[in-house]
Amino acid sequence: IRLARGPAEALYELYDLAAEPLETHDVYDDPAYHAAGAALRADLDEWWRAQAAKYPAKVVSYVRGEA
């Protein structure tokens, strides 16, 4: 499963690499993949939250010569 954007505007993609290794057919909305997609999405969302908790919400950048 792949999160193509961010959690605010999530666009999930799911590919069956065993059946189609070139990843040209997204099966995320295919009912046959619903259970696998839901489990993988939950794992990915949990990972995303864990990563977001590690970093500040706003990154401050300092440029030399500016006050």
Side-chain angles (χ1 to χ4, degrees), residues 27-39:
V27 296
Y28 184 76
D29 292 323
D30 187 329
Y33 293 89
H34 178 75

Side-chain angles (χ1 to χ4, degrees), residues 14-27 30 32-33:
L14 179 64
Y15 299 95
D16 185 345
L17 297 179
E20 189 209 13
L22 297 178
E23 299 181 19
T24 57
H25 181 70
D26 182 5
V27 296
D30 187 329
Y33 293 89

Side-chain angles (χ1 to χ4, degrees), residues 38-63:
L40 290 168
R41 179 180 176 171
D43 289 346
L44 181 58
D45 288 345
E46 181 180 333
W47 177 86
W48 186 272
R49 283 189 297 276
Q51 297 307 305
K54 293 180 184 179
Y55 303 100
K58 182 178 180 184
V59 176
V60 177
S61 177
Y62 297 97
V63 178

